[in-house]
Structures are given as structure tokens and as C-alpha cells.
Amino acid sequence: MSTGSITRISGPVVYAQGLADAGLYDVVKVGAAGLIGEIIKLKGDQATIQIYEDNTLMRVGEPVECLHRPLSVALGPGLIGSIYDGIQRPLPVLKGVSGPFLAPGLAGEPLDSRKEWHFVPSISVGDPIAPGVVFGTIRETKSIEHRLIFDASVQASTAAYVAPEGDYTISATLVGASDGRTYGAVSYWPVRTPRRFKEKLVTREPLVTGLRVIDVLFPIAKGGSAAVPGGFGTGKTMTQHAIAKWCDADIIVYIGCGERGNEMTEVLTEFPTLIDPRTGRSLMERTILIANTSNMPVAAREVSIYTGITIAEYYRDMGYHVAVMADSTSRWAEALRELSGRLEEMPAEEGFPAYLPTRLAEFYERGGMVTTLEGKRGSVTIIGAVSPPGGDFSEPVTQHTKRFIRCFWALDRDLANARHYPAISWNDSYSEYTEDLVASWDAIDPAWVTLRTKAMEILKKERRLADIVRLIGPDALPDEQRLILLTADMIKDGFLQQNSFDRIDMYCAPPKQTLLLTCILTFHELAEQAIQNGSPLLTISALPIREKIVRLKSSLENERVQEGQAVIQEIRAAFAQLGTAAQGVISA
Amino acid sequence: MRGLEYRGILRADGPIVIAENRENVGFSELVRVRDRSGQYRLGRVVDLSQQAVAIQLFSENTGISIEDAWVEYLEKPLTFRVGEGIVGRIFNGLGEPIDGYPPIMSSDLRDINGRPINPSARVYPRDFIQTGISAIDGMNTLIRGQKLPIFSGNGLPHNRLAAQIVRQAKVLRGESQFAIVFAGMGIKYDVARFFIDSFEKSGVLARVVMFLSLADSPSIERLVTPRTALTAAEYLAYEKNMHVLVVMTDMTNYCEALREVSAARNEVPSRKGYPGYLYSDLASLYERAGKIEGCEGSITQLPILSMPNDDISHPIPDLTGYITEGQIVLERELAQRGIYPPIAGLPSLSRLMKDGIGEGMTREDHRDLAAQLFLAYAYVKTVRDLAAIIGEEELSDRDKVFLNFGDRFEREFLAQGEFENRSIEQTLDLGWKMLSILPESELVRIPPRFIEKYLPHEAAAASTAGATAPAPSAPAPKEL
Ligand SMILES: Nc1ncnc2c1ncn2[C@@H]1O[C@H](COP(=O)(O)OP(=O)(O)OP(=O)(O)O)[C@@H](O)[C@H]1O
Ligand SMILES: [Mg+2]
């Protein structure tokens, strides 16, 4: 252990000397209070350190102790359901130590070392120890089996000892290697280093979110990456909360990075009461929270997204599909900017350091569908909120993020103001996964592609017509074109708009998604015919069935989707009647 | 060391003073600098090396000379002395009494920077506060423990609105102690006077703690004022179990001071010259609102800021909106049409509304009613744009109905008297009355069972008689 001393203090950035044998990115304990920091620059024996805690009253000359290991997370059973700060300190444990307010210098074990887990070995004495070998399993929650796997850092050897099936704490030795090393249920991995896998795969499986505008218009793949940019209050957090609740990932890592404390509390109070429709278990049993709120130390905010993604990769390596929500990547970028400013680096655009795009790329690159070292398929999907200043998407973080993601869910201020939620703009958003996902969606509903194309077409036509209407009013348009406006409104109100507080509509399963759109488009088709046959648009729009279609999303539960067929019959019947009525008028 | 003054500094540059590091100084430590006339200034260590100390003063540096300055290190961060005696008192931004009464008798000193609340120790705010103002209660509900700023502009009635909220705010259930903390930053004396008078008239002055750093005090003092005020608020809320409403005005002046200091330190600016850490800095204030476990009290923040040029995308309102739990936006156009309070219908938002309204809290129909009013009012804006081009007569019948709805909504629902205190039932019923102007088939955001139950009959709707007669309610004892 080498010990140096502080030479300069500039906010969360501290300079120290006498650390000749320290390594870059090594963890250090700084000052008399032993605050946790990380070496971010080394020159001779001069180190530049960022501190993850409040360093008020720290003095020049105080000691700096290097721990000679990089900043790492503890990985093992007990992660699920936890809430950590940016450097994986367990917040409930800290609360036990210092009460409701966080104090500097607090420590707490990330994983409960007293809890016993039921271990079932899957190797025997004499079996090889190598990266990717599963040596046992632990049931972490009712739905998550925690697979204990030797990671890429393990030394190849053979097992000289394997603990028999039984209950163990995380500090117990579960496997002893012939080279004398021992292994337990907990391992450590440096947060800034991506965990290894065998190969990256093209992803063709959708991550079903239960949000119609995403799943049908701008779908995302498991292992994909998406950005949710939007000005304040447009619904980034709500969108991420909704996805975290209802998407069909096995595990959710939710990173509150420089955002509100109350939003984390909301997850903590709400998720345990919600039931995962797939497992029948509480949603908290698949969720891990990283909370480094806006008022917590900024350096820890910078590291929080790495802490989160490393945990996500760990579960991916067990063969799970993990979805990471990062809210907000802009606040992370700002933390970079603030630290870079303290380091007196040359700023590039808007004060951000020149390496911002590289860091963003590295982060999104850690997502993906992979073959794990063990040979399973696992994925990390990354969904990052972006908070552009003034809601202007031309700023650096949005622009650079766009280069590294393939789904862009642009939130629109006007939609949000009109309380059309989710305010995902159908004009400015895109998904580059659509083509890759066709086969998977075909399996869910072969009509998906046609429905989606038709809906997009109508919305596109409506946009052009809306420009005309804005100039001359809708009355000047012929009925066929006014029907486009009518149908587009039905798509917006009855399909795209989805209230997160509507008990029935907050989660929409794929069969209901296609049903709703089928109803609207059937109505449209029949209306087109009716207009050709001489029915005026006014009578069509006055059909009571139209209102029923628009209300269907909040009246029909996911489980009762078969009853939707009756609605389609009703639509046909309504138009058939309209036809006879019209005929009657003509023949009269 | 306390009691030991070092003579001479190396440099003075705006609010930043550089001195030699002659004793073991701590980062962020409080410093006292005495000039040749014997006047003291407080400052804070912002950068520190083996040789030198950078001190940021909380007041002007005029009168400080290189030779004739005396620096004393106080070995603690800036603190505020708390005690029950602070209620009813007036302090300057640094927390020194300025009302002529004796100093606070207490040995309890608190670091004004506070500490971040552990997110797992927060209690999610849910208690509805009735302000008696329809635009707020009905559409942008205020919740106990929320931070809800007023985005205003020069000459708009934000002070009157804030005073009305303070006067009328009450919770529907439960009795408890309350207090008001007022932080005035760079405001004129007459604004401060207006608030004092208004507190006095409504009989709450004895429950107010005031922190005033008026326009004629050093601008740098504004950086400390809200922190001192929030330290007082935290003491009252979390130790004395009071419900504290904190009014902070004008946050724009605070941000200007921050920009000034940042420029003096030659920091790399981000947008419009404001420092890159403006977001984090504002968050360190706004996040001090809330409720915590094991404690009855709460801190509700009502910051007021004026948007430069009425521009909501200016960094100050923008970053504020990114931190607070919604915003009440005042609109010049409404004000010019004589509508008070001129609360903009669409850009205003309360994010905590969703969990604080509905059955058992306000009324079962509240959420859907509000959603429908928003939807309809948003369409009004589209229709008005169209009418501006093609003329009102050319509008379709449907659009004409919406135009009528829009006008009445603004005149009857949004607008109300400065002393008119509407109950939540009155507000909601009025909302339904507005909706009855529209054809029932337009009410797609409301389930039919509520329409049946609450939508007034045609006859009632047709009558244009004043909604709820503006009944100036007697200033009753309030709680927050
Ligand atoms: N899907 C939704 N259903 C219902 N309401 C929504 C939805 N999305 C957003 N809202 C409303 O909009 C408000 C703001 O949403 P949210 O907090 O997600 O915004 P944000 O983009 O994360 O803002 P910020 O950048 O300031 O954090 C919510 O409090 C809620 O009232
Ligand atoms: Mg958000």
C-alpha cells in the first residue's frame, strides 16, 4: 500500500503526490475521513483524483492511500431488489448508519454478508476451472436463478474442493482450486471494463415494451439501444418507468443518474406492489436501482452508469435479457464536463470535453445480444434518456448519441403540452430495427407488418393535409381526404395515446396492440368504400362505433382480447347498415 | 485558526481573493476578511493548494487592498444558528438578524449547505394542498413536499399569486403546525414589503422566517441566501415536525450571481455564459424539498423566477424545469387580456399531481376531467391559429364550439379573484360546466360513468351566469 499526500483541492478534484506505484483508475482513500476516490490521471508520482463524496474541510497535506485495485462492483446473489448509490453503496444500509441524510465517509457492504443462500454445485472435484464454467446455482428470487460462473479473470485450474449443496454466506468458499485459489458466490469486476463474452450476435428478437407507439411504430430489439430525448416534462422518466415495469426483459437495471430523489422513491414504493405479468411475482424481484440523484456528488454520478451497466452485463452472462434505463445520460455528460473543467482540459463543443463522443460510444457499445462465455444467449438493452438544453436536439449530447443508437424516440413538446402521452413524435422518431424484427413479429401476429405500414402511411398523409388545413381549414378538403384526418385522429387517440395511469391501458400486450389497430384500419377501409358509395363523411364520423373503437384501449383488458373479434363484427355491421341506408336513400 | 489573522493577500479579482496558504486551511472553510477600515466580509475557500488559497467572498471586494487585508480562517463551513426563536424573525442572506431584535440564543450551528437526502429515506409526497386557485388545484395540483416553481416575467403578477397561495393553502385532512420561510434574493424593498404586508394581513407573519438579501445588498450574498433559508426550513420541518412552505424569489438573481462568480474564476462557460454546473447547483437547492421517513414535517418549495425575455428555453427556467416537479407558467398574453391569475394552460405542469388526486384525495373524476380539459384546451389553440388565418366565420361548427369553450374556460375557470378561494369541489364542478359546452362525443378521455355522474344538464350549461360567485373568503387560519 502506498500513501501519498494532498497537494491541491479544487472541488471534487484533488491532486496528490507520492503515489509513484499507483495505477491509473486505482481506488484511493483520501484524507483523514477516508473518502473514496479514483485516480484519473497520473504523471510521475503526481496523481489527479476525483472524489466520490463531499470533501468540505479537507486539507492540503492529508494522506491519500492507494488500494491498488480499480473501482469495481461486487457481483453476487442479493443484487436484485437493491438500491445503491453511484459507487454501489447500499442506500438502506447507509440510512441505518447516518439517518435520512447522506454523510461523507460512510461505508456499507453492497451485498449482505450474513444472509445464507442455498447453493447447488454443478461441478465436482477434478473438473476444470476456466472462464465460462458454471460452478453452481443459487435461487436468488422466485424467478431468477443466479448462475455462478467463473469470469474472464479466472486462472485456469482444476477444482480441488467443491462445497456440498447447502446454505452458505457470500464469504464462504464454494470452490477451491488446485492452484490454491478459492472462489465464493461473490466476485468483483472493474466498472470501466466491459465484461467478456464469446461473440456479438445480430439481434432479431423484439423487446416488447407494452407501449404501442414503440412496439408497433418504432420497435426495439433485445440487445438494442435507444435514446429518449425530450425537453423537461415531456415524459422521458415516465416512458422509462413504463418500460421498466412492463417490458419482457428478465432483469431491469434502473440508473437514476443526476435526476430527482422522489423519482427513485417512486420506483421503490411502486414496484414492489406491481405484479410482473410473466412471472406473477413482484416487479421489484427483477429490478436493481442505482440512485445518484442530482444533489449527490457529481463524480459518483459520472461513475454510476458504469456501475449499472457492469451489473447488467453480469446477469447477461448468466443468459438473461437485461434492460438498462439510464436517466439521464445528459446529466452524466454534464458530470464529465464539470470534472473536465476542473481538470482545466481544453473544452470542445459547449464546454464538453473532446472525448464525450468516445465515452458515449463506449457506453452504448456495452449493450448487445451476445453468446456468453458459457455459450448461452444473453442481452443488454440500453435505453438512455437525453435532456437537451431548451429541448433543442441539435446540441452535442443528442447529436453524438444519435450516432451510437438505433432507436430514436423523440419526445415532442406540443404533444406533451396537449397531454398526449407518451409524447413520442411519430414524425421525428425512428427505429432501425424494424426490418430485423419482422420475422419475430410475424410469429406474434402476421398482420403486424401491414398494419404498421398502413398506419404510418395514414399518419404521413395526414401530416401533409394538416399543412393545408392550417392554411384553409378542413372544409375545403374532399371527403376522402377528410377521412384521412379522421382516421389519423383515431390512430392518435385510440392507439398511440396511452396513459400510464389507466389501470387497463398502462400495459398493452401485443395481441391487443394489433387488435386495436385492426379495428381502426377496418373502420378506415370500410369508410373509404362507404364514401365511394356516396355516404357523407359526417354520417360516418357520427357512427357510435367510432367512439367505441377509440375507447377500446381502456375498456378491453389484455386477457379479454378475443372479445375484440366481436368489435370487428360490429364495425362491419355498422357499415353494412350505413350501406343499406344509403341504398335506401338512392332508390327512394 | 480562529482568532488569528494573517496580514496581506496576493490578489483580488472580483469576488475572488487569493491569499497565501499559511495555515492548514480546509476546503470550503469559512473565511473572514477584514479591510483597512475594519469592516469584515465573509468568504469561502473554493480552491486550495500548498501555496495559495482562493477565497470567494460573499460580498463586494471594494476596499480590500493587497497589503491592508487581514484574513482569518474560521475552521468551519458557513453555518446558520437554528432554534425555535427563528420563527417570526428577519435575517440577512448570511443569516444575521436584521430586524433589530437580539441574536438567536442557541448553540446549534448548521452547515448551510445541508446534506443530500438519502433517496431511500424519502417518503413519496402525496398530500393534496388546496390553494383555492382553480388553475392550480384543478389542472396543476400542488402537493405537500413538492418543488413547484412559478415561471414569470417582468411585470407579471407572480408576487400576488405567491401571496395568494400562501394565504389560501390548506390541506383537507389532518391538523398540523406550519411555518413559512421566505428567501428574497436581489428583490426590491417594495417587493419584500408587499410580502411582509400580505403575511401580516392574513395573520401569518408570526409564523414566517425571512431572509432578505435585497437589490442593494452585494449580489454575491444571493448565493448564500437560499441555502441559509433552506437550512432554517430543514430545521423546522425535520426537527420541529412543521409543514414548511418556502418561497424563494427571484431565482434569476441567484443565477446571475452564480454566473458572475464563475466568470471571475475564469471557468469554461456553457450556455449564455452560465457555468456548466448550474444544473447541479440549482439541484442542491431544489432537492432540499420533500418528506423524509420518520418525520411528520415537510418542505414545499415555491421558487419564483423571471424568465429573461419571457423565454422559457433560457437556461434558468430550462434547468429549473429539469429539476423541479413541474412549473406554473405565467403568460403575458393572458395577463394583457386582464385574466388573473394568468396561468398558462398548456406549459404548466404538476408532476406530483398524478399520485395526489382522485378518490379519497380530491375526487374520483379529477384525473380524467383534467386530462379532458387539457386536450380540449390544446385543440382551442389549434383552432385559434386557424381562425387567425381563415377568419372565425369560416370555421366549422365544431371548431366554433371549441372557440367558445376556450374563451369561457379562460374567463370563468382560469380567471378568478385575488381573494377568491374556491374549494376543490367548486373547481371540479366548474371544470365540468366548461366541458358541458362541448358535445358529449368529444369527451373521449373520460369514462362514461363519470360523464353520467358529473356532466351538468344542457340547461345548466346554457346559462352563462357567473360560475361560482366570486366570494372573497375571510382570511381564515391557514396551514400548509
Ligand atoms: N405515459 C404517460 N402517461 C401519463 N402521464 C404522463 C406520461 N408521460 C408523461 N406524463 C406526465 O408528464 C409528466 C412529466 O413526465 P416525466 O417526469 O417523465 O418528464 P421528463 O421528460 O422525465 O422530464 P425531466 O427531464 O424534467 O425529468 C409526468 O409527471 C406525467 O404527469
Ligand atoms: Mg425525468
Side-chain angles (χ1 to χ4, degrees):
Chain A
M1 296 268 153
S2 66
T3 306
S5 67
I6 299 174
T7 56
R8 182 179 164 202
I9 305 166
S10 172
V13 172
V14 163
Y15 301 81
Q17 63 187 16
L19 290 167
D21 62 344
L24 193 60
Y25 296 122
D26 274 358
V27 178
V28 284
K29 289 206 152 183
V30 189
L35 305 187
I36 297 176
E38 188 183 5
I39 297 181
I40 50 173
K41 241 186 219 176
L42 264 179
K43 200 171 166 194
D45 75 336
Q46 309 280 323
T48 308
I49 297 162
Q50 65 182 32
I51 302 194
Y52 293 122
E53 305 180 62
D54 177 32
N55 56 348
T56 299
L57 295 191
M58 181 176 275
R59 293 159 203 277
V60 167
E62 285 186 23
V64 178
E65 183 195 335
C66 179
L67 303 187
H68 296 287
R69 59 169 176 82
L71 189 68
S72 307
V73 281
L75 301 165
L79 285 169
I80 299 220
S82 299
I83 173 166
Y84 297 112
D85 76 351
I87 51 172
Q88 211 200 4
R89 283 183 300 188
L91 290 169
V93 175
L94 301 193
K95 181 169 68 181
V97 181
S98 74
F101 295 92
L102 290 166
L106 293 176
E109 290 177 18
L111 298 171
D112 186 347
S113 62
R114 276 159 313 174
K115 180 168 167 123
E116 293 196 337
W117 299 93
H118 190 72
F119 167 75
V120 182
S122 42
I123 56 169
S124 322
V125 171
D127 283 348
I129 289 176
V133 170
V134 183
F135 63 89
T137 55
I138 281 171
R139 186 144 288 284
E140 186 171 0
T141 71
K142 278 277 181 334
S143 50
I144 300 291
E145 186 187 60
H146 197 105
R147 300 164 68 76
L148 299 168
I149 306 172
F150 292 116
D151 67 28
S153 68
V154 80
Q155 293 290 325
S157 176
T158 50
Y161 164 80
V162 178
E165 176 171 347
D167 296 340
Y168 300 90
T169 63
I170 51 164
S171 43
T173 296
L174 299 176
V175 174
S178 51
D179 61 10
R181 291 168 206 265
T182 58
Y183 300 92
V186 63
S187 59
Y188 295 86
W189 191 268
V191 294
R192 296 186 195 274
T193 313
R195 283 173 68 89
R196 314 273 172 72
F197 48 83
K198 267 207 190 106
E199 64 173 331
K200 258 209 173 152
L201 304 170
V202 179
T203 119
R204 301 193 181 283
E205 225 178 290
L207 180 82
V208 177
T209 65
L211 292 177
R212 290 183 291 269
V213 58
I214 292 180
D215 290 345
V216 175
L217 295 194
F218 311 107
I220 182 165
K222 289 205 172 82
S225 49
V228 196
F232 63 79
T234 49
K236 298 177 290 296
T237 304
M238 290 288 300
T239 304
Q240 289 192 314
H241 278 193
I243 297 176
K245 283 176 195 164
W246 308 121
C247 79
D248 64 346
D250 302 309
I251 305 228
I252 304 291
V253 178
Y254 195 102
I255 311 169
C257 171
E259 290 289 315
R260 300 173 185 82
N262 274 336
E263 290 171 352
M264 304 312 291
T265 314
E266 191 180 359
V267 175
L268 276 178
T269 44
E270 196 182 6
F271 278 35
T273 67
L274 296 172
I275 300 299
D276 182 347
R278 275 161 302 273
T279 59
R281 309 288 309 172
S282 140
L283 278 177
M284 207 57 207
E285 289 184 25
R286 67 165 198 180
T287 308
I288 298 160
L289 293 174
I290 312 289
N292 212 96
T293 55
S294 54
N295 55 340
M296 285 160 74
V298 68
R301 187 199 299 172
E302 189 269 333
V303 85
S304 65
I305 71 165
Y306 299 109
T307 300
I309 197 103
T310 307
I311 293 174
E313 288 173 337
Y314 176 66
Y315 281 97
R316 172 203 67 190
D317 291 346
M318 296 177 207
Y320 289 114
H321 296 295
V322 187
V324 175
M325 309 293 143
D327 187 12
S328 157
T329 60
S330 294
R331 304 303 165 215
W332 166 79
E334 284 166 15
L336 270 190
R337 173 168 71 185
E338 191 170 335
L339 294 165
S340 161
R342 300 269 185 195
L343 295 171
E344 289 155 21
E345 293 172 336
M346 268 294 279
E349 306 147 276
E350 297 196 13
F352 287 106
Y355 47 78
L356 170 70
T358 319
R359 294 282 172 89
L360 276 170
E362 283 166 0
F363 172 64
Y364 282 106
E365 201 44 42
R366 290 179 76 169
M369 174 81 78
V370 303
T371 307
T372 65
L373 292 179
E374 183 201 351
K376 289 196 163 206
R377 267 155 51 84
S379 69
V380 172
T381 310
I382 304 182
I383 297 169
V386 183
S387 319
D392 173 5
F393 293 174
S394 66
E395 57 89 39
V397 181
T398 318
Q399 283 307 313
H400 289 304
T401 301
K402 255 184 148 168
R403 295 162 49 199
F404 312 121
I405 48 99
R406 295 183 60 202
C407 247
F408 191 72
W409 299 323
L411 298 180
D412 183 272
R413 167 67 62 195
D414 290 335
L415 288 177
N417 278 355
R419 270 58 172 177
H420 173 112
Y421 298 122
I424 297 177
S425 158
W426 44 92
N427 297 332
D428 305 328
S429 305
Y430 60 79
S431 164
E432 293 173 8
Y433 295 108
T434 315
E435 291 302 310
D436 298 344
L437 297 178
V438 167
S440 300
W441 268 102
D442 257 352
I444 299 173
D445 188 336
W448 183 75
V449 183
T450 11
L451 288 172
R452 159 170 210 289
T453 323
K454 267 198 196 156
M456 289 290 256
E457 214 170 87
I458 291 174
L459 290 171
K460 205 163 113 198
K461 281 189 189 154
E462 189 247 5
R463 194 165 23 175
R464 270 204 311 269
L465 292 173
D467 289 339
I468 303 176
V469 170
R470 224 167 284 132
L471 291 175
I472 57 172
D475 285 349
L477 297 179
D479 274 1
E480 297 88 68
Q481 295 193 336
R482 297 187 59 186
L483 174 64
I484 300 277
L485 299 182
L486 183 76
T487 309
D489 275 348
M490 288 172 73
I491 295 178
K492 290 181 214 166
D493 285 338
F495 185 77
L496 297 178
Q497 201 258 349
Q498 191 176 353
N499 191 329
S500 286
F501 307 114
D502 185 322
R503 200 180 44 77
I504 293 178
D505 199 33
M506 56 188 174
Y507 163 67
C508 187
K512 184 175 156 190
Q513 300 190 1
T514 45
L515 170 81
L516 293 180
L517 203 48
T518 308
C519 288
I520 296 172
L521 294 176
T522 307
F523 178 93
H524 180 75
E525 224 167 83
L526 295 172
E528 265 179 337
Q529 286 171 16
I531 288 173
Q532 268 166 20
N533 293 339
S535 298
L537 182 73
L538 229 54
T539 34
I540 295 172
S541 64
L543 287 175
I545 189 70
R546 190 181 66 88
E547 199 184 319
K548 181 161 182 181
I549 296 173
V550 174
R551 286 182 182 277
L552 199 56
K553 60 176 186 179
S554 341
S555 57
L556 186 72
E557 282 100 345
N558 287 312
E559 304 76 49
R560 290 172 43 225
V561 66
Q562 315 86 301
E563 296 171 28
Q565 292 311 317
V567 181
I568 296 181
Q569 293 313 319
E570 257 182 82
I571 302 172
R572 295 196 185 286
F575 276 97
Q577 212 173 21
L578 194 71
T580 27
Q583 220 113 59
V585 174
I586 292 165
S587 55
Chain B
M1 206 170 109
R2 268 159 186 266
L4 182 61
E5 287 186 328
Y6 296 95
R7 182 174 177 180
I9 56 169
L10 299 172
R11 213 165 71 219
D13 184 2
I16 305 291
V17 166
I18 312 285
E20 222 174 302
N21 191 355
R22 284 195 277 196
E23 67 171 49
N24 210 356
V25 177
F27 178 69
S28 220
E29 181 170 339
L30 190 62
V31 185
R32 199 151 66 167
V33 182
R34 184 163 60 91
D35 68 15
R36 56 178 167 241
S37 65
Q39 202 193 329
Y40 286 107
R41 286 172 189 74
L42 288 176
R44 181 175 82 96
V45 174
V46 291
D47 203 320
L48 169 68
S49 71
Q50 282 163 317
Q51 298 78 33
V53 181
I55 301 157
Q56 178 206 309
L57 298 179
F58 296 126
S59 47
E60 308 299 307
N61 66 354
T62 27
I64 292 188
S65 68
I66 304 289
E67 293 282 294
D68 245 350
W70 299 81
V71 182
E72 181 188 3
Y73 299 98
L74 301 179
E75 293 179 338
K76 57 167 186 160
L78 186 55
T79 50
F80 176 65
R81 198 176 291 277
V82 295
E84 295 192 38
I86 60 174
V87 180
R89 300 292 306 271
I90 306 178
F91 303 88
N92 67 8
L94 298 171
E96 299 154 351
I98 51 170
D99 51 5
Y101 294 102
I104 301 302
M105 298 306 282
S106 155
S107 55
D108 206 349
L109 292 168
R110 298 293 162 88
D111 178 351
I112 60 155
N113 294 303
R115 296 217 171 281
I117 300 179
N118 183 328
S120 71
R122 280 184 187 269
V123 175
Y124 195 73
R126 291 178 182 280
D127 300 332
F128 163 66
I129 299 181
Q130 178 177 297
T131 66
I133 299 165
S134 294
I136 296 178
D137 295 350
M139 314 278 288
N140 305 288
T141 320
L142 177 64
I143 302 293
R144 213 179 225 178
Q146 183 171 19
K147 36 192 181 289
L148 189 65
I150 300 177
F151 287 8
S152 186
N154 300 327
L156 293 178
H158 44 265
N159 294 330
R160 281 158 60 203
L161 178 62
Q164 185 173 10
I165 295 174
V166 171
R167 194 163 53 233
Q168 298 182 169
K170 67 165 194 180
V171 287
L172 296 186
R173 253 174 313 278
E175 284 294 310
S176 44
Q177 279 210 302
F178 75 96
I180 294 155
V181 170
F182 181 90
M185 291 153 285
I187 52 168
K188 296 222 181 64
Y189 175 76
D190 49 358
V191 173
R193 193 70 246 172
F194 166 82
F195 277 103
I196 295 174
D197 287 347
S198 135
F199 293 150
E200 191 161 21
K201 271 194 213 121
S202 44
V204 294
L205 193 58
R207 325 215 104 257
V208 180
V209 193
M210 283 207 132
F211 295 86
L212 295 179
S213 176
L214 300 183
D216 55 357
S217 346
S219 69
I220 309 299
E221 195 183 293
R222 293 168 203 165
L223 293 181
V224 189
T225 314
R227 294 189 163 80
T228 322
L230 287 163
T231 305
E234 279 172 355
Y235 167 76
L236 296 174
Y238 303 139
E239 279 164 57
K240 297 292 153 201
N241 287 315
M242 294 186 188
H243 293 289
V244 184
L245 180 65
V246 184
V247 178
M248 305 195 278
T249 183
D250 178 332
M251 289 307 292
T252 300
N253 295 334
Y254 170 85
C255 297
E256 297 302 340
L258 200 67
R259 176 164 69 173
E260 211 173 292
V261 172
S262 172
R265 296 180 64 187
N266 290 320
E267 290 170 336
V268 178
S270 80
R271 288 173 70 219
K272 301 214 161 151
Y274 293 93
Y277 51 79
L278 180 57
Y279 173 85
S280 299
D281 187 277
L282 285 173
S284 73
L285 303 177
Y286 297 141
E287 279 289 313
R288 289 172 84 170
K291 276 171 73 82
I292 58 176
E293 276 173 15
C295 172
E296 267 298 298
S298 63
I299 295 181
T300 310
Q301 284 186 16
L302 208 62
I304 301 173
L305 62 86
S306 43
M307 300 183 279
N309 278 324
D310 291 353
D311 176 10
I312 196 169
S313 70
H314 182 282
I316 297 172
D318 191 50
L319 292 176
T320 297
Y322 270 124
I323 302 163
T324 52
E325 285 143 347
Q327 63 279 337
I328 303 291
V329 183
L330 301 192
E331 196 174 273
R332 195 167 298 279
E333 200 254 341
L334 283 174
Q336 280 162 350
R337 287 181 11 227
I339 289 170
Y340 172 91
I343 297 180
L346 301 181
S348 300
L349 169 74
S350 163
R351 298 168 193 240
L352 298 188
M353 173 172 181
K354 54 194 167 72
D355 299 295
I357 60 168
E359 206 173 343
M361 291 172 283
T362 54
R363 209 169 73 185
E364 53 176 358
D365 55 320
H366 191 163
R367 178 171 309 158
D368 298 307
L369 173 69
Q372 187 66 61
L373 287 170
F374 275 119
L375 179 69
Y377 193 55
Y379 187 63
V380 168
K381 299 273 175 189
T382 324
V383 175
R384 282 186 184 160
D385 290 346
L386 182 61
I389 295 169
I390 63 173
E392 253 178 56
E393 312 73 49
E394 296 297 311
L395 291 178
S396 68
D397 289 344
R398 173 176 187 253
D399 289 358
K400 281 182 188 147
V401 173
F402 271 92
L403 214 51
N404 177 32
F405 164 82
D407 290 340
R408 287 190 52 191
F409 178 75
E410 286 165 357
R411 277 186 287 111
E412 296 173 34
F413 186 89
L414 288 187
Q416 71 183 80
E418 199 174 333
F419 290 88
E420 180 183 355
N421 191 350
R422 295 180 186 157
S423 73
I424 182 67
E425 284 76 23
Q426 283 174 319
T427 289
L428 295 176
D429 291 346
L430 188 55
W432 278 103
K433 190 177 163 207
M434 296 297 108
L435 285 185
S436 69
I437 299 168
L438 302 174
E440 212 178 298
S441 62
E442 294 288 347
L443 309 185
V444 289
R445 298 261 165 103
I446 307 185
R449 64 173 199 285
F450 290 154
I451 297 184
E452 229 159 84
K453 190 161 166 190
Y454 294 103
L455 190 69
H457 306 295
E458 311 272 329
S463 91
T464 40
T468 37
S473 57
K478 262 131 256 101
E479 24 150 8
L480 302 162

